[in-house]
Amino acid sequence: MRRPALLALAAVLAAGGTSVYLATSASAAAACYPTWSSSAVYVGGGQASYQGVNYQAKWWTQNDNPATHSGQWDVWANQGACGGTTPPPTTTPPTTTPPTTRPPTTPPPTTTPPPTTAPPTGSGQLPKHFLTGYWQNFDNPAREIRLRDVPAAYDLVAVAFADATSTPGAVSFGIDAGLSASLGGYTDADFKSDVAVLHSRGKKVVISVGGERGTVSVASAGAATNFANSIVGLIGTYGFDGVDIDLENGVNATYMAQALRDIRSRTSANLIITMAPQTIDMQSTGAQYFQLALNIKDILTVVHTQFYNSGAMLGCDNTAAYGQGSVNFLVALACIQLENGLRPDQVSLGLPAAPSAAGGGYVNPSVVNQALDCLAYGTNCGSFRPPRTYPGIRGAMTWSVNWDVTNGNGFADTIRPHLTTLP
């Protein structure tokens, strides 16, 4: 993404790399783990037994029955039969699991069971369905605007970007000199005042970290602490409502999760945490970005994947590569996240606001609305239909507010009103 975005690798047709725990010969004779409880919270590595079988959690989970949520693409890894006699609690397992083949062409049901976990507290600060836009703290061919001039249609504004410092993991932020000159003088004090103006309008503002040229690296416990310290400092200085992770040159799921939990523990339960992975980063649960999202699922607000600059990619049916710039691409790739651990309220569709904003993947904003309808209602789909509907699908994101303003606000003016029609 951004400044301008680089093209990601084109078609990556193998969703390999998924973490799978393999049972050993010893596990078959092992004692049973503690009995699985539908109300208990299990994190990655957590253990439970169910109906004489041991299971190990791959990521954060609650109320996902191991018998029906184990396998390559699901949360539990089957560790083999166990020798204990611990009786399972009485529960009613789900009646369906995500398909491994292309869904039928008949429309999916229009309702889904309620989510198995409650949304993080921070999600309550934002509308049920909301629009995110990135504000550019630099000069490029898009129109420069002050933060207070972001159109009212945007609910969440991600400030691009905080940059790396010489301290491993640490980041800093200040108004870009080129932007300031283009605006006739725009200072850090002006920006801080503008954050307060957006707050007075009921908007939220987060600091985004990384971008296409970003060099931020959080790859150790020390770097995680430095990152957390610097983000907490920026929140205190400017009044940011949270942080957006847009590391396009690699992310370490373990240490970034450590840093984000540290930030939340030192700020507020209402901290907004968003992520903007590239399309390729969310092809497999084995990818570091996907692991990060699952590792912090209990505090994660939303993942607005960049569904552009990617070429063709496999969808959740795992049988065909869908070309970017189409409703099929948006629905089939969002489906991967929706069927592999993230709640619908944690999934948003990220698109360029104008053809010039990205190297490829631009769609008319009406196509974004079409994809949202397909995911939420099962209507207006292309040839690909998801295996079920997701009424809680969170919304849309665009790179960038500046490009949208340059393009006549077509993205926000088309999509924001449509979000109010979703269930």
Side-chain angles (χ1 to χ4, degrees):
M1 189 197 273
R2 347 277 208 245
R3 312 189 191 181
L6 290 179
L7 284 175
L9 294 176
V12 175
L13 302 181
T18 302
S19 298
V20 179
Y21 296 86
L22 300 178
T24 65
S25 58
S27 66
C32 287
Y33 298 149
T35 305
W36 173 74
S37 169
S38 60
S39 62
V41 172
Y42 299 89
V43 297
Q47 297 175 330
S49 65
Y50 184 77
Q51 295 183 338
V53 178
N54 278 335
Y55 296 90
Q56 182 162 301
K58 302 177 192 175
W59 54 78
W60 191 98
T61 180
Q62 184 182 38
N63 196 32
D64 289 323
N65 189 302
T68 55
H69 286 275
S70 59
Q72 183 183 22
W73 290 97
D74 225 321
V75 59
W76 290 103
N78 187 319
Q79 302 287 284
C82 61
T85 58
T86 52
T90 302
T91 60
T92 303
T95 58
T96 60
T97 55
T100 57
T101 58
R102 188 180 181 93
T105 57
T106 55
T110 58
T111 59
T112 54
T116 58
T117 55
T121 307
S123 290
Q125 297 183 296
L126 292 160
K128 182 176 181 180
H129 305 288
F130 67 88
L131 181 64
T132 300
Y134 283 81
W135 176 82
Q136 298 178 185
N137 181 38
F138 50 85
D139 276 332
N140 71 358
R143 185 181 305 173
E144 300 87 358
I145 60 172
R146 294 170 183 256
L147 186 67
R148 68 173 61 213
D149 294 328
V150 169
Y154 289 95
D155 303 293
L156 176 64
V157 180
V159 172
F161 297 95
D163 295 313
T165 71
S166 59
T167 301
V171 298
S172 65
F173 175 79
I175 292 299
D176 177 75
L179 175 65
S180 177
S182 295
L183 293 174
Y186 188 51
T187 66
D188 280 1
D190 293 331
F191 174 83
K192 183 177 179 179
S193 175
D194 284 359
V195 172
V197 168
L198 263 61
H199 284 163
S200 72
R201 298 170 182 168
K203 310 302 181 180
K204 301 300 177 183
V205 185
V206 297
I207 180 65
S208 183
V209 179
E212 177 253 314
R213 298 182 186 175
T215 58
V216 179
S217 176
V218 179
S220 68
T225 298
N226 294 337
F227 181 84
N229 288 342
S230 58
I231 293 295
V232 169
L234 293 177
I235 289 173
T237 299
Y238 294 99
F240 293 123
D241 299 290
V243 60
D244 172 65
I245 306 303
D246 182 16
L247 300 180
E248 301 184 17
N249 296 296
V251 63
N252 183 299
T254 299
Y255 294 114
M256 182 54 76
Q258 175 186 319
L260 293 172
R261 291 190 181 279
D262 187 8
I263 295 165
R264 188 174 187 269
S265 71
R266 295 161 58 188
T267 52
S268 167
N270 287 321
L271 183 76
I272 295 172
I273 300 176
T274 65
M275 294 167 50
Q278 297 173 102
T279 313
I280 193 172
D281 294 323
M282 301 301 286
Q283 278 277 284
S284 163
T285 55
Q288 287 288 299
Y289 243 117
F290 212 140
Q291 287 183 20
L292 174 61
L294 295 171
N295 287 347
I296 63 165
K297 179 178 175 179
D298 56 316
I299 62 172
L300 173 67
T301 305
V302 73
V303 176
H304 32 235
T305 302
Q306 302 174 41
F307 288 124
Y308 51 95
N309 288 343
S310 62
M313 290 281 175
L314 282 174
C316 67
D317 54 351
N318 208 35
T319 63
Y322 297 93
Q324 64 179 355
S326 67
V327 65
N328 283 342
F329 183 84
L330 299 179
V331 175
L333 272 77
C335 175
I336 295 175
Q337 299 168 44
L338 293 161
E339 291 294 313
N340 289 285
L342 293 183
R343 301 188 308 269
D345 66 275
Q346 293 177 314
V347 178
S348 185
L349 310 180
L351 280 305
S356 299
Y362 171 78
V363 298
N364 187 287
S366 63
V367 177
V368 182
N369 288 345
Q370 187 180 347
L372 290 168
D373 283 347
C374 182
L375 291 164
Y377 294 110
T379 61
N380 291 330
C381 301
S383 60
F384 174 87
R385 291 182 178 273
R388 68 197 88 248
T389 57
Y390 314 93
I393 190 75
R394 203 64 195 267
M397 171 276 283
T398 194
W399 178 262
S400 64
V401 171
N402 302 70
W403 279 111
D404 194 21
V405 170
T406 305
N407 203 39
N409 298 316
F411 193 94
D413 288 350
T414 301
I415 295 173
R416 187 63 190 87
H418 190 74
L419 293 176
T420 65
T421 70
L422 299 181

